[in-house]
Amino acid sequence: MAWTWVAKKDEEKLRHLALHVEGLWSSDSGHREPRWYTCHDDNHSRHVGEAIQFLLPESECRRGEITPDERFCLQAAAWLHDVGMIVYVTEDNLKDEQVRTTHHDRSRNYIKKEYPALQLTQGEAEAVGDIAWYHPKFTDITKCAPKMNGVRTRLLAAYLRLADAISRTEGDVSKRQFNTLIAVGMPGISQFHWIKSLFVRRIDPDPDNKEIVVRVTHHDNDEGEIKALGEIVRDEIREELKTVWEIILRERAAHYLDVKLEAVGATGPAPDVHQLETLRQYLGNRDLEFQAPSRELARTLIDTVQTLAGGVGDADAYRAIHQYVTQVLPKIRANRSCHTLFKEIHDALCSYAKEPPDQVANAGHKLTELLAFLHAKLETMDQKLRTVVEYSRAFLCDGEPILLFGRSTSVVACLSAQPPEVKARTEIYVLENRSKTRFNFLGQLSYCDGIQYAEDVANAGCVNVHIVPDVAVANLMERKIVRKVVFGANGIDLRKRILLHTAGHRTIADLAKAYAIPLFVIADSDKFGPAEPDQQKEREGWLKQDNRLLQRLPDSVSLFNPREDAVECAKVTMLISDEGAFRPDSPPAKVMAAIDPHSVQE
């Protein structure tokens, strides 16, 4: 236990502090349940304290000259760093979403205000409060005071941050509660901690080899999801390590150079179907607001709602879906406003969940109707895609080199359906789509649309795939290296004669027209409908890999990255859909009649 790691004189004081924190969490259970904004409690604090001991074994404590006072302050911060999650303690009137993002402020304030009840001295409270304040990754730990009241606060904050990252806490939240919370507003970081405890067997610091090892269990019924989670855990810890590495190394304390992933054989029962489905939902919803193509987005929404409705009563299912619709969907909607298929499903879910849970009548009947609609939508989506694939064969079978831009699962499906000999001779050039690039806290590439698209195309059986920088488009067209351009679509408004896309599509469409390169758009009729591009919407994260360089810019310089484009249908050679292949600037009367009976052309 943590008190055996501290000096004898501090054991009882740490025991008292731990009991105090346990009492706070126990009392919180009646104030706000469920706590969807966090799955942490005193159990998590205990495991963070244990992680500190693994990071700093006795030999490393001696090497780093970790003093008894520093040991105590570090363990005290481990117990107290999350007390700001206990809303009633600070009596702040906060929305659930604000609790997590500001909890480090309230933790420090509580420590400094209640230090007598915690049996801390005022000097200890100041140091412990600052150590706790800097534990979240989004705080700039380099601004933490190097030393305060005789303890190296910055070094201890660095170890607390790392211990928080590697802690693996079983029992953070009951499985039944988590099944309700997983997609109804619980922040991704809370989902991450719970799922990590379920599927990651151990996270072991190895001071001798200067590395941290993430060990995940391989099971026969795992189709790669657990490995994917392990990679996420590894990368998250790498990010945390990068933010503290120089601080720890400078103090000659126990430091770690890298994090590696190991798969170990299963020793217990395999995850049940629901546990794996929970993991798939987490992976599917991860960064859903920004990265998923239109069809993936729609399918993930449907799968999520079906999961929420399973295994619980009608009233609980309605409550879970209502919270998902009111707390999660608006964030996705804000970033995916031009996705017509998403809008249809979004509107259906909003109509279903428009009444507050305590006022809804006939929840069972409403749920049955919603699930029937979603099931039918999945079936029609799949059928329409099969039809699109058939219509696309004639346009992709000539072996002419293709330029792709803007990841599209529909385009990938059409390429996958081509005969092997066509795939073998077709050169495919995939543009980077630079404006969608995202970086993590380390400045490392976390998402590149072109890389993901190229991987999808290669997995579809295409063997001549090239990733190309966006600025090379005109070069490829002028030299006739590419002979056709193929897009997907987010939305198609045939009445306005526009197609909605990620920003960049219009530039490529204009260049294709200038160089007389045919442009094909592959999209099913679920994308047809009223659409209005949001010209004010911007995309963030695309130029954040070196904040030190960006900080040199004067205030008069800002970043500007428009999110959406509208491409005139007149620039499209052919629209390939389940309604057939036609020029979108002169759609068939039957297509227009299906959209709007009053718009049938004479």
Side-chain angles (χ1 to χ4, degrees):
M1 297 299 290
W3 30 86
T4 63
W5 188 76
V6 299
K8 197 74 174 176
K9 67 182 180 65
D10 294 318
E11 285 185 16
E12 285 306 313
K13 189 159 62 171
L14 187 61
R15 288 178 189 273
H16 169 82
L17 190 150
L19 289 172
H20 183 96
V21 173
E22 289 173 357
L24 293 178
W25 282 107
S26 177
S27 298
D28 184 51
S29 62
H31 285 79
R32 189 183 291 203
E33 279 289 334
R35 293 187 301 264
W36 66 265
Y37 45 85
T38 182
C39 56
H40 286 174
D41 56 14
D42 54 286
N43 194 31
H44 167 70
S45 300
R46 181 179 298 105
H47 281 267
V48 173
E50 292 171 357
I52 289 170
Q53 297 175 67
F54 291 123
L55 287 168
L56 280 167
E58 285 298 327
S59 59
E60 296 298 330
C61 283
R62 290 193 295 271
R63 183 182 305 170
E65 299 179 347
I66 307 298
T67 68
D69 287 347
E70 288 173 337
R71 290 191 184 210
F72 172 75
C73 286
L74 184 51
Q75 284 293 343
W79 277 98
L80 292 163
H81 73 285
D82 272 349
V83 294
M85 294 282 194
I86 309 173
V87 178
Y88 85 92
V89 166
T90 54
E91 299 181 352
D92 292 332
N93 185 21
L94 297 174
K95 295 180 180 178
D96 285 347
E97 191 171 343
Q98 298 173 299
V99 175
R100 170 168 285 280
T101 57
T102 62
H103 79 281
H104 60 306
D105 286 320
R106 290 189 308 285
S107 292
R108 180 166 64 178
N109 292 341
Y110 180 82
I111 294 166
K112 291 185 176 182
K113 179 182 177 182
E114 301 294 336
Y115 72 89
L118 298 170
Q119 293 187 1
L120 298 175
T121 67
Q122 187 171 2
E124 288 171 337
E126 290 176 354
V128 171
D130 270 25
I131 295 166
W133 195 88
Y134 282 101
H135 85 273
K137 180 170 58 179
F138 56 78
T139 57
D140 185 356
I141 198 169
T142 63
K143 295 181 179 179
C144 179
K147 201 165 188 178
M148 182 182 295
N149 299 314
V151 300
R152 291 170 287 179
T153 44
R154 186 185 295 170
L155 174 64
L156 301 184
Y159 276 120
L160 177 61
R161 179 178 292 190
L162 197 52
D164 193 38
I166 72 169
S167 67
R168 175 190 169 278
T169 312
E170 294 186 85
D172 277 338
V173 67
S174 71
K175 292 179 182 178
R176 182 182 181 281
Q177 185 185 33
F178 182 79
N179 291 340
T180 302
L181 297 179
I182 178 69
V184 302
M186 179 191 282
I189 189 63
S190 295
Q191 299 177 22
F192 174 71
H193 281 301
W194 192 91
I195 293 175
K196 181 173 71 172
S197 72
L198 185 62
F199 291 101
V200 176
R201 179 185 289 185
R202 296 180 62 180
I203 302 176
D204 297 321
D206 184 353
D208 294 334
N209 292 314
K210 309 300 183 189
E211 64 186 14
I212 296 171
V213 184
V214 177
R215 293 185 166 90
V216 296
T217 304
H218 172 73
H219 292 276
D220 292 339
N221 64 341
D222 169 31
E223 298 179 358
E225 293 91 349
I226 296 178
K227 179 184 177 183
L229 175 67
E231 291 171 349
I232 293 171
V233 173
R234 178 199 62 199
D235 293 345
E236 290 277 345
I237 298 174
R238 276 178 175 167
E239 285 191 30
E240 303 278 11
L241 178 60
K242 180 66 174 180
T243 65
V244 302
W245 183 79
E246 289 185 7
I247 295 170
I248 294 174
L249 186 63
R250 194 177 298 121
E251 296 291 339
R252 302 188 306 278
H255 64 278
Y256 300 86
L257 302 178
D258 197 15
V259 185
K260 72 177 185 179
L261 177 66
E262 284 187 1
V264 295
T267 58
D272 61 38
V273 174
H274 187 75
Q275 288 174 340
L276 283 174
E277 183 59 31
T278 297
L279 175 57
R280 293 185 186 108
Q281 289 302 317
Y282 170 75
L283 296 173
N285 279 282
R286 183 177 169 86
D287 291 329
L288 189 64
E289 299 172 33
F290 303 101
Q291 296 176 7
S294 182
R295 287 183 61 84
E296 282 188 16
L297 172 65
R299 185 172 291 277
T300 299
L301 293 181
I302 293 174
D303 289 347
T304 297
V305 172
Q306 290 177 330
T307 298
L308 291 174
V312 296
D314 294 339
D316 287 341
Y318 183 88
R319 185 177 298 104
I321 296 171
H322 179 273
Q323 195 163 11
Y324 180 71
V325 169
T326 56
Q327 306 228 18
V328 178
L329 281 193
K331 301 174 187 176
I332 303 172
R333 176 67 172 155
N335 288 293
R336 313 301 286 264
S337 57
C338 69
H339 286 245
T340 306
L341 176 58
F342 165 75
K343 183 178 183 301
E344 179 188 359
I345 298 171
H346 168 275
D347 291 349
L349 293 175
C350 288
S351 176
Y352 163 78
K354 61 185 177 183
E355 298 171 293
D358 58 350
Q359 298 177 18
V360 66
N362 300 319
H365 178 70
K366 289 170 68 73
L367 181 62
T368 299
E369 287 187 340
L370 176 66
L371 293 178
F373 164 78
L374 295 178
H375 178 75
K377 175 53 67 177
L378 281 177
E379 287 191 338
T380 57
M381 283 170 57
D382 291 341
Q383 179 56 52
K384 287 180 178 182
L385 181 59
R386 288 192 291 269
T387 305
V388 171
V389 167
E390 291 304 313
Y391 279 119
S392 73
R393 292 182 187 276
F395 297 94
L396 302 177
C397 67
D398 55 10
E400 291 283 272
I402 299 171
L403 179 70
L404 301 181
F405 178 75
R407 183 174 168 230
S408 166
T409 53
S410 297
V411 172
V412 172
C414 292
L415 291 171
S416 179
Q418 290 297 317
E421 60 272 17
V422 173
K423 297 179 190 177
R425 71 172 187 267
T426 303
E427 301 282 341
I428 297 180
Y429 296 83
V430 184
L431 289 173
E432 175 190 6
N433 200 351
R434 181 69 173 82
S435 69
K436 292 185 72 174
T437 299
R438 297 178 66 80
F439 295 88
N440 62 20
F441 278 84
L442 298 181
Q444 297 170 332
L445 194 65
S446 63
Y447 180 77
C448 173
D449 195 71
I451 292 176
Q452 184 63 62
Y453 204 176
E455 182 181 4
D456 293 345
V457 171
N459 290 338
C462 300
V463 296
N464 302 304
V465 184
H466 317 275
I467 300 175
V468 183
D470 298 341
V471 294
V473 176
N475 182 294
L476 296 180
M477 292 182 176
E478 192 273 335
R479 296 165 60 194
K480 301 300 181 185
I481 291 178
V482 296
R483 298 300 183 94
K484 67 180 70 165
V485 178
V486 180
F487 289 166
N490 293 334
I492 302 173
D493 193 328
L494 292 174
R495 287 173 295 186
K496 295 180 181 178
R497 303 295 197 264
I498 59 172
L499 293 81
L500 300 189
H501 293 278
T502 301
H505 283 82
R506 181 177 183 126
T507 299
I508 295 165
D510 287 344
L511 287 169
K513 189 172 182 64
Y515 285 101
I517 304 290
L519 168 59
F520 299 95
V521 173
I522 295 176
D524 63 62
S525 58
D526 280 331
K527 307 290 182 65
F528 298 173
E532 189 66 45
D534 187 345
Q535 303 289 0
Q536 305 302 314
K537 196 173 296 300
E538 296 183 43
R539 193 184 298 276
E540 299 180 355
W542 64 287
L543 196 60
K544 297 292 181 67
Q545 67 268 42
D546 193 339
N547 282 320
R548 290 175 298 180
L549 186 61
L550 293 175
Q551 287 170 359
R552 290 169 41 188
L553 295 174
D555 292 341
S556 58
V557 179
S558 63
L559 303 181
F560 180 61
N561 184 14
R563 185 181 180 88
E564 298 176 4
D565 263 352
V567 177
E568 296 92 339
C569 286
K571 297 174 181 175
V572 178
T573 306
M574 196 68 65
L575 171 59
I576 305 167
S577 79
D578 53 291
E579 296 290 348
F582 56 86
R583 293 188 59 85
D585 58 343
S586 55
K590 68 171 186 175
V591 174
M592 296 305 297
I595 298 171
D596 182 358
H598 300 293
S599 65
V600 178
Q601 300 175 347
E602 296 295 335

